[in-house]
Amino acid sequence: MTAPHSPRKLDVAAAIERGALSRTVTIHRAAENPTIDSIALISRPDQARRVSPRTAVIVASGAETSGWLVSAVLRLAWERRASLVVAAGQHSESVVLLARRLDITLLSTADDPTNVALALSADIGAANAAIESQLIALLRTVGEQTTVDEILRVAAAELRLCLELRLGEITIATVGERESQGLTMVGPLTISDSASGSVTLWATAGKNEDFVTTALTLILPLIRAAWFESGALDLADVLSAVAAIDEAAMPDNLALQTVMPRLGWRDGDAHAVVFLAAPGKRPTRTMSNVVRLLWRRAAINRSLVDTADGWISVVSLGEDDDTSRVSRELGAALATSLGELGIGIGLSRAYDSPGNLQEQVAEARIASRTAWAAGAEGVGSFEELTLQAIDYLFDPSDAITVAQLVVPEFCRANDRDRLVMSVRAFLDEGSVVAAAARLSLHRNTMTARLDRARALGLPVGDPRQSFSVEAIIRAFLPRDHEGPGIEPLTRTTSKGLS
């Protein structure tokens, strides 16, 4: 349906150059080129007080057209923001000077003003009919689309303009190409309003601002309907995935086997879990719709599932088992836009089988939170975390998960609990002698235990990593030392870490 040019309301230039006013004589042409929405055929100056803006004021035949009457009509028409004035006969120099000073278009006609009014009315009706015809065709075409993305894409193509979707001041989607000159911003048109912010639609229109405004106003209900419906598109996946996670599903769990393919898992390929985290925020419906829109616009053909603190998905790594490639692709497509929304991106390690979904989600969640808290740009990859990542974690189980990645030998050591107690005493007392006395050990025994902890990868005594060491020790403290303990984790992943 795309037309070479969008239909326009009749304006002064079109009426003079090729319409009903082409036989008139231009006394003065205003700098602006307003549209002509209606006609007022008047016989007395006071009738001009009641005309609407963008009206063609035509002095009727038989009316006195002396200089004072035309001058009075010009002043009143200018006050009412009329588009132009047409009056028969010759006009004095004072009338011409007044039209120039007010900068309002003044035309003279030798024809019967009533005939001019009838012809101009026909031109206005024809222009409005063309507009209505294209608006109906636009609604029919756009109405066939079912998602926000599709509606924006088709509308931008049909209207030949650039459409923007914004959350507050942040642009979350841009469709279409901007013109280089003569741009006018049309908006905002509110799609959704919530505590997360207002989602609004903007357009960069050229000269045809009125038509664009009318068209967007008509398609706005379609966008709103698609926007609110999009929150329910993945409902089945959400319920199944959340149930599988809550059940701590293992590979033989039927719920997990059902949900993983729906999240994007394909047999024969290595996969990783992606977690989009909004630290300190509970995802709202508006924010979920925004994130899903950005996710789809990044051409990621995978379901995105809401959790209590973010969104998860499963992405294929292909046969190369390469998380770095996926990390770069996700970063290029999403890091900037999600970063502006305060959302971090995390990627788990590669897995060749569904495994324990809880573990995979935990890895991706940790990676996203640490990357966001550290102010890192791009995607946080779990397998690239260092011990300092623990500085940004407050959950002991998360600290253990990172520790098993970066200091696996210490975590697997048979004498780990004894080493934990010794390092704890050293951190509390600040010296080997005091720590040995606290545990009733010989100084050399305490020194040997600290050396063994260092040999197993734990950087005891390094001031740059003291907080991380403290967090690991607290997480591994035995039950009888400080509250409920945490049993050693012995999971096995596709990377061979346990």
Side-chain angles (χ1 to χ4, degrees):
M1 187 209 76
T2 305
H5 301 284
S6 296
R8 298 171 57 87
K9 287 188 174 182
L10 184 68
D11 57 33
V12 171
I16 292 175
E17 293 167 8
R18 56 184 178 276
L21 303 179
S22 59
R23 290 168 55 85
T24 62
V25 177
T26 302
I27 305 302
H28 174 71
R29 180 85 167 267
E32 292 186 359
N33 182 36
T35 59
I36 306 173
D37 293 348
S38 60
I39 297 170
L41 189 63
I42 67 173
S43 57
R44 302 188 314 272
D46 62 292
Q47 292 174 326
R49 296 181 185 276
R50 298 188 294 272
V51 302
S52 302
R54 296 190 290 192
T55 295
V57 179
I58 301 177
V59 181
S61 58
E64 176 63 42
T65 56
S66 61
W68 73 267
L69 184 144
V70 177
S71 296
V73 170
L74 282 173
R75 288 190 177 92
L76 293 172
W78 175 78
E79 290 177 0
R80 301 297 297 170
R81 302 186 63 82
S83 300
L84 57 88
V85 174
V86 180
Q90 300 292 323
H91 300 295
S92 64
E93 184 177 350
S94 62
V95 170
V96 175
L97 290 175
L98 179 61
R100 291 175 179 171
R101 184 163 61 85
L102 298 176
D103 196 28
I104 183 171
T105 298
L106 174 62
L107 305 175
S108 176
T109 179
D111 298 331
D112 185 339
T114 303
N115 292 335
V116 174
L118 290 173
L120 188 57
S121 179
D123 285 353
I124 294 173
N128 289 342
I131 292 175
E132 291 176 2
S133 175
Q134 183 155 347
L135 288 174
I136 292 172
L138 174 66
L139 282 173
R140 184 181 298 115
T141 303
V142 173
E144 295 174 353
Q145 316 310 314
T146 57
T147 67
V148 175
D149 247 3
E150 292 170 349
I151 292 174
L152 294 179
R153 177 181 56 78
V154 171
E158 295 292 327
L159 297 173
R160 294 193 171 183
L161 46 69
C162 177
L163 294 175
E164 291 184 10
L165 213 57
R166 299 181 185 177
L167 176 62
E169 298 299 321
I170 302 171
T171 298
I172 57 178
T174 303
V175 183
E177 297 183 1
R178 295 180 183 270
E179 298 178 15
S180 57
Q181 297 178 346
L183 292 180
T184 301
M185 291 302 296
V186 176
L189 301 174
T190 301
I191 295 173
S192 174
D193 199 358
S194 72
S196 300
S198 295
V199 178
T200 55
L201 177 67
W202 296 74
T204 50
K207 299 178 180 179
N208 205 353
E209 180 180 348
D210 288 339
F211 176 77
V212 170
T213 301
T214 301
L216 294 183
T217 301
L218 290 174
I219 67 175
L220 188 62
L222 300 176
I223 299 175
R224 285 174 177 163
W227 177 265
F228 288 112
E229 184 180 354
S230 66
L233 292 179
D234 295 324
L235 182 59
D237 286 343
V238 172
L239 296 177
S240 299
V242 171
I245 296 172
D246 290 344
E247 293 170 8
M250 298 303 291
D252 59 349
N253 185 288
L254 292 179
L256 179 64
Q257 298 300 320
T258 300
V259 72
M260 290 304 284
R262 295 166 70 180
L263 287 176
W265 197 285
R266 291 183 298 199
D267 290 337
D269 287 351
H271 291 76
V273 169
V274 178
F275 194 93
L276 311 180
K281 303 176 184 177
R282 185 175 182 85
T284 63
R285 182 172 184 174
T286 294
M287 185 61 72
S288 290
N289 287 340
V290 169
V291 171
R292 280 198 176 89
L293 178 64
L294 294 172
W295 183 260
R296 287 194 297 269
R297 288 194 56 76
I300 303 173
N301 188 25
R302 294 289 184 273
S303 296
L304 193 64
V305 174
D306 295 48
T307 66
D309 57 348
W311 302 266
I312 63 172
S313 186
V314 175
V315 295
S316 173
L317 304 178
E319 299 179 355
D320 56 2
D321 205 30
D322 184 11
T323 57
S324 61
R325 172 183 57 81
V326 174
S327 178
R328 290 191 300 270
E329 293 174 354
L330 287 173
L334 292 169
T336 300
S337 54
L338 290 181
E340 291 179 341
L341 298 174
I343 296 174
I345 310 173
L347 191 65
S348 73
R349 286 175 286 188
Y351 286 81
D352 296 321
S353 61
N356 189 325
L357 183 59
Q358 274 192 323
E359 292 183 0
Q360 300 168 38
V361 172
E363 290 184 358
R365 179 187 283 112
I366 289 170
S368 65
R369 287 179 174 174
T370 54
W372 183 88
E377 296 182 358
V379 178
S381 178
F382 182 80
E383 63 185 0
E384 296 177 3
L385 293 181
T386 62
L387 199 63
Q388 281 80 3
I390 296 176
D391 295 359
Y392 305 103
L393 303 174
F394 300 96
D395 189 331
S397 63
D398 288 345
I400 291 176
T401 300
V402 176
Q404 290 181 318
L405 172 74
V406 295
V407 286
E409 293 183 357
F410 176 82
C411 295
R412 292 196 300 261
N414 293 332
D415 57 345
R416 186 195 65 204
D417 287 349
R418 185 172 60 190
L419 297 178
V420 165
M421 296 296 294
S422 300
V423 174
R424 173 75 273 170
F426 174 72
L427 294 176
D428 288 345
E429 302 299 333
S431 73
V432 173
V433 174
R438 170 171 158 175
L439 298 181
S440 301
L441 298 175
H442 190 277
R443 172 180 178 178
N444 291 343
T445 302
M446 174 60 70
T447 300
R449 290 185 181 181
L450 295 179
D451 288 343
R452 173 162 169 74
R454 295 186 186 99
L456 294 174
L458 193 68
V460 180
D462 184 347
R464 295 171 300 177
Q465 304 184 74
S466 59
F467 187 90
S468 302
V469 172
E470 174 92 17
I472 291 176
I473 295 303
R474 283 188 177 276
F476 278 118
L477 279 176
R479 293 183 180 182
D480 58 355
H481 182 77
E482 186 175 306
I486 300 174
E487 292 296 328
L489 302 183
T490 56
R491 65 181 178 183
T492 301
T493 70
S494 63
K495 294 296 185 182
L497 299 177
S498 61

